[in-house]
Amino acid sequence: MFNYIIARTPCKALIDGISSADDGKPNYELAMKQHLAYLDALRMCGVEILLLPPLENYPDSVFVEDPALCTKHCGIVTRPGADSRRGEIDSIEPALRRFYGDNVERIEAPGTLDAGDVMMVGDTFYIGLSARTNAEGASQLVAILEKHGLTGRLVTMEKVLHLKTGLAYLEDGNLLAAGEFVDKPEFSHLNIIEIPEDESYAANCIWVNGNVIMPSGYPISESKIRDLGYNVVTVDTSEYRKVDGGVSCMSLRF
């Protein structure tokens, strides 16, 4: 059960966000409309939202999932793998302290960690080793988690930006998986719901209090999720996809 959400209003510099896609620059006005609809979808799930102001010096700052990780015992300020995002951590830490007080930890240099590479399954946190999260950052996170009675497990990956680009844990033992993650032995104990290759973007979605919020336009994936018994809410994230963002990237849920 999640009680709180932290999100951030997209800045106008979003159009210059980091991108590996070839879909052009986002339309800022449309991105704002999509973000408001995303927040509305979250509110329908019965959570309280802390909406942070835009950070114009950081084009990717709407993606609050990367500079922080929220657990039930502590908040963790990460050290993003992209140099251009490091400054975001100074503004996310005060938000974490509003909820966690002194129970806020940090990833330190030379470690790097994007929390988009971290997936929570109960008290276990799977940590993807990626271009943004290095072994030192992952090791520091494991130590922090163990300090608070939680567990961290490393996952090697080769093809996607972040672990949660291709995975979404929907609670109840159900895991959406796409591409290289379908046959990963680390997840063999879970009920794997395979997302087809041409709908792989739909693998990035979020469970919020019995609801699944997912990107619109992926009917096969939507049907599979509905068949599991979840209430599905679709949101248009087309402008965020242009800068490598998905549904999970735009909120911290705890």
Side-chain angles (χ1 to χ4, degrees), residues 46 58 61 76 78 82 90 95 97 106 113 132 137 149 151 160 164 170 173-174 202 204 219 223 226:
Y58 299 98
S61 55
I76 301 164
T78 72
D90 292 333
R97 292 197 180 278
R106 292 182 75 103
L113 181 83
R132 302 283 180 85
T151 301
V160 295
K164 283 189 287 195
L170 303 184
N174 296 316
N204 180 265
S223 178
R226 289 190 187 278

Side-chain angles (χ1 to χ4, degrees), residues 2 70-71 118-126 164 169 171:
F2 294 135
C70 293
T71 79
V118 184
M119 181 179 70
M120 179 180 70
V121 179
D123 287 342
T124 299
F125 290 74
Y126 291 90
K164 283 189 287 195
Y169 185 59
E171 304 297 320

Side-chain angles (χ1 to χ4, degrees), residues 149-164:
L150 304 168
T151 301
R153 295 182 181 174
L154 305 189
V155 180
T156 58
M157 42 188 275
E158 300 172 1
K159 299 179 181 179
V160 295
L161 176 63
H162 286 136
L163 184 76
K164 283 189 287 195

Side-chain angles (χ1 to χ4, degrees), residues 7 10 15 17 25 30-31 51 53 84 87 94 103 108 117 133 165 170 173 180 196 198-199 202 222 226-227 242 252:
I15 62 172
K25 290 181 177 290
L30 181 54
L51 183 61
S84 63
N103 290 320
E108 304 289 352
D117 280 320
T133 296
T165 301
L170 303 184
E180 65 183 293
D198 61 350
E199 292 195 5
E222 181 178 347
R226 289 190 187 278
D227 287 346
K242 294 175 182 178
L252 294 166

Side-chain angles (χ1 to χ4, degrees), residues 33-47 49 213 233 235:
K33 290 179 181 178
Q34 291 179 354
H35 195 258
L36 290 172
Y38 175 77
L39 296 177
D40 284 343
L42 286 166
R43 288 189 185 97
M44 288 191 299
C45 300
V47 293
I49 299 175
I213 302 176
V233 181
V235 292

